[in-house]
Amino acid sequence: QVQLLESGGGLVQPGGSLKLSCAASGFTFSMYAMSWYRQAPGKGREWIATITTVGGTDYADSVKGRFTISRDNAKATVYLEMNSLKREDTAVYYCNARNGWFAYWGQGTQVTVSS
């Protein structure tokens, strides 16, 4: 079965760092573009970053320069390195896989930035 299993969320202080992981199974990971989204309380789901099947990346303006998306096809895992975290980064973060025919979502992991 298709599964995207996220980990690494938690509580971090403003200015701190956190690294999220999303382990994929049940599909050919290398053939899918991978993205991260987030949803803050009371707001819609926001696109954060994408990494293509050939390693190209793109970021939302709100996180550009602070977050880095990467992938390890051998481990079928996508990562999101988050630095210089702000309180406004607090949200549930979701992993997404898409290949033009299918799209899959992870369960979401909570990131809370607070002192």
Side-chain angles (χ1 to χ4, degrees):
Q1 60 182 4
V2 171
Q3 187 175 37
L4 296 174
L5 186 60
E6 300 168 339
S7 62
L11 177 65
V12 63
Q13 292 186 325
S17 299
L18 204 61
K19 186 175 183 177
L20 306 182
S21 299
C22 175
S25 61
F27 65 99
T28 306
F29 179 82
S30 63
M31 298 302 295
Y32 283 71
M34 302 298 299
S35 295
W36 288 94
Y37 291 74
R38 68 186 182 188
Q39 188 165 22
K43 296 186 178 181
R45 191 166 296 186
E46 175 191 17
W47 169 76
I48 296 301
T50 295
I51 184 165
T52 71
T53 57
V54 294
T57 59
D58 200 7
Y59 300 90
D61 288 342
S62 59
V63 306
K64 193 170 185 178
R66 300 188 298 121
F67 291 11
T68 301
I69 188 171
S70 61
R71 66 191 297 159
D72 186 337
N73 287 344
K75 295 181 178 179
T77 301
V78 63
Y79 305 94
L80 185 68
E81 298 177 1
M82 304 184 294
N83 301 306
S84 302
L85 284 162
K86 307 172 181 179
R87 287 183 174 86
E88 50 263 46
D89 294 319
T90 296
V92 177
Y93 284 71
Y94 297 91
C95 178
N96 170 269
R98 185 178 183 87
N99 75 345
W101 289 269
F102 303 102
Y104 307 114
W105 290 92
Q107 78 288 348
T109 185
Q110 178 70 48
V111 172
T112 301
V113 184
S114 177
S115 59

